[in-house]
Each structure stands twice: as C-alpha cells, then as structure tokens.
Amino acid sequence: MTKHILIVEDHPIVSVSFARIITASDLNVNCQSAATAAKGLAYLNGSEFDLIILDINLPDMNGIEFCKTAKSRVPHQKILAITTVAQRHVVEKMLDAGADGFILKTSDIEDILEGIRQVLNGKQVYLGKGVKDLIKG
C-alpha cells in the first residue's frame, strides 16, 4: 500500500531532493511538498498523510509551532523533524511538541531513509545518528 508523505520545506532544492531520494528508495511512497507552514497546515484540512517531514526553520512559522498545531488537529499524525540546527534545546522542544523523530540534514541518505522507515512503522521516537550524541550531552 502506498504511503503518503508531506515534505514541509521552504528550500525547493531540498524538498525536491528529499522527494527524489525517498521515491527512488524501496519505500512505496507518494510525496507532496509545501514551501510554507500555512500551506502545510492547509493540506491537513483535506488530506491524510502517513508522515510529515518537517523543516524547523520556515518563513512563516517555526517547526515547533507547526508540530504543535498539526498534532492538535490530527493527534495521530507522524512528524519527522529534519534540520541543520544541531542544538540540544531545539531537539528537546521539538520532541516535547510531539515530533516522532529528529534527523539532521547533514545525515547520510541511509540514516534519513531509516528514520522515515522507523517512524512509518510506528517506532515511538527515532533519533538520527548525530542527534543521539546531542541528547546524551
């Protein structure tokens, strides 16, 4: 069964690259993209997604607020944060907001795909390779 993923990312090169990497993988997915938080949240009004891949730095709302809003509308919505911000307090705030995983954009492709697999398969929280070290402090 095809899974539906929404990529909320304001940089077109990044969202297109993610979509290509994900659809070229062994995951059976269909990707849609939104360049702003407002567009991403609007998609939730009429569509269901198995996963949202969420950038933390968006032009109109930060990813933490997006995550809180999305989870309040769709409590079972799975969200995987992906960012360049490698700071422990950001990871903690994102997880407190309800994110199901956190990966750094500097991760290798296999780590990104493994995070997607794990979150789609119901692993409670997935932390990418570099994120685990941040949490340990």
Side-chain angles (χ1 to χ4, degrees):
M1 183 157 103
T2 302
K3 302 281 186 180
H4 300 283
I5 294 178
L6 175 63
I7 301 168
V8 182
E9 165 65 56
D10 59 321
H11 294 97
I13 189 71
V14 176
S15 62
V16 168
S17 296
F18 281 152
R20 286 184 180 167
I21 289 166
I22 295 165
T23 56
S25 73
D26 62 348
L27 297 167
N28 184 17
V29 298
N30 176 14
C31 294
Q32 287 183 264
S33 297
T36 64
K39 288 180 183 175
L41 292 171
Y43 271 122
L44 293 181
N45 291 333
S47 303
E48 288 190 27
F49 294 94
D50 297 288
L51 175 66
I52 295 174
I53 297 175
L54 176 62
D55 184 16
I56 290 182
N57 293 317
L58 296 167
D60 56 339
M61 176 188 290
N62 71 51
I64 296 164
E65 290 305 314
F66 179 100
C67 187
K68 288 178 185 176
T69 303
K71 289 282 191 170
S72 71
R73 289 186 189 179
V74 186
H76 64 276
Q77 180 62 65
K78 294 180 182 188
I79 297 176
L80 178 61
I82 189 157
T83 187
T84 58
V85 180
Q87 297 174 356
R88 182 180 181 164
H89 75 279
V90 173
V91 175
E92 291 170 346
K93 285 182 181 181
M94 196 68 200
L95 296 176
D96 287 345
D100 300 281
F102 197 106
I103 297 176
L104 298 174
K105 287 183 182 175
T106 55
S107 298
D108 59 43
I109 291 171
E110 280 310 309
D111 190 35
I112 293 168
L113 292 174
E114 185 60 22
I116 293 167
R117 276 187 205 94
Q118 293 292 330
V119 173
L120 283 172
N121 291 328
K123 180 170 178 160
Q124 190 169 358
V125 174
Y126 181 84
L127 300 177
K129 294 175 185 171
V131 178
K132 291 175 188 172
D133 294 334
L134 285 174
I135 296 296
K136 290 178 185 174

